[in-house]
Amino acid sequence: MSLRFGQHLIKPSLVFLKTELSFALVNRKPVVPGHVLICPLRPVERFRDLHPEEVADLFRTTQAVGNVVEQHFGGTSLTISVQDGPEAGQTVKLSSKGVKGVLHPAFQHVHIHVLPRKPGDFDRNDNIYDELQRHDKEAEDSPSKWRTEEEMAIEAAILKKYFQ
């Protein structure tokens, strides 16, 4: 069963962890190796729109996933980021078609970026935030820059083993 992440249908092969209220998937265009995303199963526009139990599950999942990707990718730290709204850099939109094809305005889908970090991975440490702002911009978001589905599925399968 595919999951929805904004306007994207996510194939099960790209999801490496699913909880009662959240899921974790590999990134098609990671800023650093191991850059993954954690999303609520219920698509909502903003962090404030999540129910308290969704917030708790989302952050428990983020903590567990962070521990795994830091270890697996040889990180020494994590950058955990929520770009909450368009001015904060949030770019993943929900489909403009709602339930049963009823149109509604496209809106954002809240998600958390988890990036394992290493000494010297950026010239200036805070450049990571510039990269996060840029990495999903529509004008720069070209399929030629994406990893293949096969590459992503291999990474997801490896990460999934940590949670079994």
Side-chain angles (χ1 to χ4, degrees):
M1 178 178 148
S2 294
L3 297 170
R4 183 160 293 283
F5 174 45
Q7 70 272 32
H8 308 287
L9 276 179
I10 304 300
K11 294 184 178 180
S13 62
L14 307 182
V15 174
F16 61 90
L17 178 62
K18 184 173 177 250
T19 68
E20 183 182 341
L21 300 172
S22 305
F23 67 100
L25 69 149
V26 296
N27 199 324
R28 70 180 178 190
K29 196 172 66 172
V31 172
V32 296
H35 176 187
V36 298
L37 304 173
I38 318 296
C39 309
L41 286 172
R42 183 175 68 94
V44 297
E45 181 176 0
R46 300 283 308 276
F47 186 77
R48 66 177 174 233
D49 300 324
L50 293 166
H51 300 304
E53 60 275 9
E54 290 172 313
V55 172
D57 187 80
L58 194 64
F59 276 91
R60 274 193 304 273
T61 303
T62 298
Q63 184 179 45
V65 167
N67 289 337
V68 164
V69 296
E70 183 176 345
Q71 174 192 342
H72 181 77
F73 290 94
T76 56
S77 300
L78 293 170
T79 293
I80 297 172
S81 175
V82 179
Q83 295 163 292
D84 192 29
E87 290 74 28
Q90 185 181 16
T91 58
V92 176
K93 294 183 181 286
L94 288 171
S95 171
S96 60
K97 288 198 176 189
V99 177
K100 296 184 180 177
V102 175
L103 291 176
H104 64 78
F107 60 95
Q108 309 300 319
H109 187 167
V110 68
H111 58 284
I112 299 176
H113 294 262
V114 179
L115 301 96
R117 302 291 306 277
K118 296 177 182 179
D121 56 4
F122 287 89
D123 290 336
R124 199 171 90 13
N125 195 40
D126 283 350
N127 286 354
I128 188 82
Y129 302 108
D130 297 332
E131 287 300 316
L132 279 171
Q133 288 281 339
R134 262 194 301 273
H135 103 287
D136 274 340
K137 296 284 186 208
E138 290 300 320
E140 300 172 17
D141 196 21
S142 158
S144 67
K145 296 181 181 180
W146 300 347
R147 295 190 300 166
T148 67
E149 192 174 308
E150 182 180 352
E151 290 170 313
M152 294 188 303
I154 289 168
E155 182 175 290
I158 291 167
L159 293 175
K160 187 180 282 190
K161 289 180 182 177
Y162 285 95
F163 298 100
Q164 295 175 336

